Amino acid sequence: MTDSAENVLEVRNLQLEFSSDGKTVPVLRGLSYTLPKGKVLGVVGESGSGKTVHALSILQLLPPAARISGGEILYRGKNLAALSRRELRQIRGNKISMIFQDPAASLNPVLTVGEQLTETILAHRKISKKEARLQAARLLQKVGIAEPEKRLLEYPFQFSGGMCQRVMIAMALALSPDVLIADEPTTALDVTIQAQILKLIKDLQKESGMSAVFITHNLAVVAGIADDVLVLYAGECMEYAPAAELFKNPLHPYTQGLLKSLASVHNKADILPVIKGHPPVPGEKIMGCPFAPRCPHAFEKCRQTCPPLFNKNGRQVRCWQLEDK
Ligand SMILES: Nc1ncnc2c1ncn2[C@@H]1O[C@H](COP(=O)(O)OP(=O)(O)O)[C@@H](O)[C@H]1O
Ligand SMILES: [Mg+2]
């Protein structure tokens, strides 16, 4: 959140819409953040809030129905939307890489893990095949896969879900990127494996000094990993703050609700819907604050006009309760 640090990635007023059957549905409504070098930003929000499309916008990998209708994304000051395909290919994987939720779907089932890793390396580095293979083995070792030489010869189906995600992490780190975007990297895994993978990502991020955008629907997941947290709701930033402050003293009623539901998960076997109701459906006309229909503190103004982001001691909060009277 600081201005002084070197910003690797900057998202400025990003607006994105989907079109189908002649109808246009806004999905991101002006998202802004800065990612300083070596820091981790957690982007948290319920399913459908726009987390994945935001990540795909960064890599310019959006589906054809999506359109960036405003704003810009800067990588080290360069506007990614203005780059040629060639320049983008140089950045993807090499400078900015991504891990997705479903590791099995991201790996090619007909190629061995070794072939996929060496291909990734050789696409960007002028080294021999033999050297690339050595690097691939080293990478597998680094992500905690035993007997890497042997496992390089195996196919993705021979790896468990957690092991597949380790391979994906190795793949994402193969070219020592500047920025790692991890989109729900542990959601498809068992709880104990989740914790191991989270720790692995955190350790590797610290060791390499890369920056990361860590996307999750589960606020608890970013507690130990993020420096800053951005809470997304219906394509809108609700709160953006240093993680420690956000967890200690959430200012937005939505963040407060998310934290309360975490507490209830620890106490009860199933998730209690502390925040009643559901987010607006895409394309639904939103008057006022998108969270107002579910907000325990909403008053008339909240239902009429969407609040701007208010600055509160270096934090940003979209809530009329925080307007200076
Ligand atoms: N391929 C698509 N076609 C049309 N709309 C889409 C598509 N992908 C995503 N959307 C819309 O964008 C919104 C945000 O999606 P997404 O970024 O996947 O959410 P999240 O990752 O937070 O669950 C969804 O609510 C949906 O309306
Ligand atoms: Mg998603």
Side-chain angles (χ1 to χ4, degrees):
M1 301 215 59
T2 48
D3 292 329
S4 52
E6 184 187 347
N7 289 326
V8 180
L9 193 67
E10 226 182 309
V11 174
R12 287 191 189 154
N13 195 27
L14 178 65
Q15 294 164 57
L16 184 128
E17 54 194 32
F18 272 97
S19 304
S20 68
D21 305 331
K23 270 204 311 208
T24 305
V25 176
V27 168
L28 292 176
R29 302 159 195 271
L31 184 66
S32 300
Y33 63 76
T34 50
L35 180 65
K37 188 172 165 43
K39 299 288 180 193
V40 179
L41 169 73
V43 175
V44 181
E46 277 167 278
S47 172
S49 57
K51 304 180 301 292
T52 296
V53 292
H54 128 269
L56 296 176
S57 314
I58 296 172
L59 288 169
Q60 311 273 313
L61 288 174
L62 287 164
R67 190 176 79 92
I68 293 178
S69 52
E72 50 189 5
I73 301 166
L74 306 176
Y75 166 70
R76 293 193 175 271
K78 269 193 225 155
N79 184 0
L80 291 173
L83 297 184
S84 67
R85 276 164 184 260
R86 209 181 123 255
E87 288 170 309
L88 264 177
R89 265 201 305 273
Q90 276 306 311
I91 286 191
R92 275 188 214 129
N94 205 9
K95 303 287 185 199
I96 308 178
S97 64
M98 187 156 170
I99 4 179
F100 297 91
Q101 174 169 344
D102 185 359
S106 317
L107 286 166
N108 187 336
V110 300
L111 294 179
T112 65
V113 160
E115 282 165 335
Q116 296 183 60
L117 262 170
T118 47
E119 243 174 46
T120 302
I121 297 168
L122 288 170
H124 289 274
R125 298 278 184 269
K126 286 195 176 62
I127 53 171
S128 69
K129 235 181 166 166
K130 198 171 157 218
E131 177 58 24
R133 250 194 122 66
L134 268 173
Q135 283 192 15
R138 255 182 258 134
L139 277 164
L140 284 195
Q141 191 141 40
K142 203 169 181 171
V143 298
I145 296 181
E147 299 184 89
E149 299 288 352
K150 186 176 139 240
R151 308 245 38 197
L152 282 177
L153 302 172
E154 294 180 357
Y155 289 88
F157 76 87
Q158 293 168 288
F159 287 70
S160 66
M163 283 297 159
C164 268
Q165 196 54 296
R166 284 176 195 264
V167 171
M168 288 314 297
I169 295 167
M171 206 84 114
L173 299 181
L175 302 156
S176 315
D178 239 3
V179 182
L180 174 72
I181 302 174
D183 187 3
E184 310 251 16
T186 61
T187 304
L189 308 173
D190 296 344
V191 178
T192 45
I193 309 290
Q194 272 186 24
Q196 292 168 11
I197 297 289
L198 278 178
K199 185 169 182 316
L200 174 68
I201 295 175
K202 182 71 194 165
D203 290 348
L204 293 170
Q205 179 268 330
K206 269 208 167 135
E207 184 191 315
S208 67
M210 70 182 169
S211 317
V213 180
F214 202 99
I215 297 173
T216 172
H217 67 280
N218 182 353
L219 194 52
V221 162
V222 294
I225 200 167
D227 296 288
D228 292 330
V229 175
L230 189 153
V231 178
L232 201 59
Y233 187 80
E236 200 106 64
C237 170
M238 290 290 150
E239 181 159 5
Y240 177 30
E245 290 175 37
L246 182 128
F247 282 101
K248 198 168 77 194
N249 179 25
L251 294 178
H252 198 283
Y254 180 53
T255 320
Q256 291 165 1
L258 287 177
L259 274 171
K260 270 199 204 126
S261 48
L262 288 186
S264 75
V265 179
H266 286 301
N267 298 335
K268 308 237 163 55
D270 32 5
I271 298 169
L272 275 186
V274 171
I275 313 173
K276 291 204 169 58
H278 53 80
V281 293
E284 186 179 324
K285 191 149 183 57
I286 302 170
M287 288 270 288
C289 172
F291 187 61
R294 299 170 80 184
C295 182
H297 309 292
F299 45 98
E300 201 43 39
K301 190 174 189 176
C302 310
R303 289 182 265 272
Q304 303 290 338
T305 316
C306 184
L309 278 171
F310 293 110
N311 279 307
K312 283 278 150 192
N313 310 322
R315 306 169 59 167
Q316 296 179 1
V317 193
R318 191 182 297 284
C319 179
W320 284 122
Q321 286 189 110
L322 295 161
E323 185 185 23
D324 283 323
K325 300 271 158 44

